[in-house]
Amino acid sequence: MEHSNQKNGPASDDRQPLPAGNHALLASEAKYRVLVDNQTDLVVSLDRDGRFQFVSPSYCEKFSCNESELRGTMFNQQVHNRDLDQVNVAWQNLFTDPWTSQFEHRAQTEEGNRWLGWALKALRDDDQNVVEIVGAGRDVTDRHNNEERARVDLNTLAHAGRIQSMGEMATTLAHELNQPLTAILSFSQASQRVLSEQDLDRDELAFALERIAVNAKLAGEIIGQMRSFIRKDEPRAEQSNINALVAEAMELVASELQHHEIDVDLNLTEAIPNVQVDPVQIQQVILNLVRNSMEAMQSQPVDQRRLLIATRICKPGNIEVTVIDSGPGLDPTIAEQLFEAFVTTKPEGMGVGLSICKSLVESHGGRLSAHQSSEGGAVFNFILPSIPEGDEA
Ligand code: ADP
């Protein structure tokens, strides 16, 4: 009976010894199960459309629901609306080499609104069709908040730096504004005179009015440039041409440079790839370096004040901006701490300009450095990652 049971009934099958391979398989499955069940990271398996096939207990705990409820629902249901587009874009990376995707998004969890960071990988069949997506996520809210705080601090500091620069520029800006305003005044007086004459010279009147309009526009542009430079906007990343940023920054200091009788040489590489930057912040860096050079060269005879600004492509995938002056060069006593805050050799200096520049450049994924030029002046250069060709909008 027992024998027949063994042959036919399910109970008998249970008692049959498993092939050795199956034992190993069960043991390894149990081992991985223990690993996954005790993970604090959120482990998931999804189908190619993003439907949950498996979620770890840690995931269920995070969203306070059970696995059977989640199975078959969409991964992006948990994604905050504002991050959906970005997650959808990142998701597409799973379908091309290297078949992985990393992204972060906000989600409404048991503990409230949290940031989750994911690293997902697509599994493929022999024909390279994606059949499953597996990966892990973790709560990155604390790191996110710290980064956000640092970003806000840097933004506030950068803003304070720009206001300080504006203060330094105020005299020359007032002078710059004075020119179009004087022109407006004299052309309007000329118009009044023309109007009071018996034979109204329409051409002369038209010319004067046109000059008034041109000068008013110029004054408006000067004010506009100033306002956009000191405004405290959220930093924004824009595809920008570094040569255009250098040229605009140089316009802002043109009259100061002229006043100090500094010879300026721009050596800008044409057809330079774009950079993804906040234009105001990068102009702030350029202006700071130029102003430092200007101040350093004040001790030099006027015929020896030269400033060179160059841009070039440097490999791999970077562009470089170099500012070289003919000043006395870097003071060796502070060379090591040049980029630290409150390091200055100037009696009136704050010593924060270069530390702000360094943080701004680094927040764009770049690097700022300095050395002595072979002729004795200072060389400051910063590199920024450029947008790869083909990725430009
Ligand atoms: P500050 O201009 O208020 O001193 P910065 O952080 O901009 O603050 O500069 C720190 C110091 O770096 C300056 O005091 C100066 O000693 C040195 N430095 C910066 N740029 C130059 C330069 N072009 N030539 C020589 N020294 C420079």
Side-chain angles (χ1 to χ4, degrees), residues 292-293 296 325 329-330 334 338 343-346 349-351 353-354 378 380:
N292 275 345
S293 288
D325 63 52
L330 302 167
I334 59 152
L338 199 59
V343 170
T344 181
T345 53
K346 301 173 193 165
M350 285 267 289
L354 287 179
F380 281 83

Side-chain angles (χ1 to χ4, degrees), residues 164 168 288-289 292-297 325 327-331 334 338-346 348-357 372 377-380:
Q164 195 201 356
E168 285 158 14
N288 241 306
L289 299 180
N292 275 345
S293 288
M294 219 152 55
E295 287 170 1
M297 287 189 285
D325 63 52
L330 302 167
D331 184 328
I334 59 152
L338 199 59
F339 297 107
E340 286 172 23
F342 310 117
V343 170
T344 181
T345 53
K346 301 173 193 165
E348 313 264 291
M350 285 267 289
V352 291
L354 287 179
S355 74
I356 294 176
C357 288
Q372 212 80 266
V379 181
F380 281 83

Side-chain angles (χ1 to χ4, degrees), residues 273-290:
N274 278 347
V275 282
Q276 185 79 11
V277 296
D278 181 302
V280 169
Q281 293 191 341
I282 296 305
Q283 275 178 356
Q284 177 171 6
V285 173
I286 300 166
L287 274 177
N288 241 306
L289 299 180
V290 169

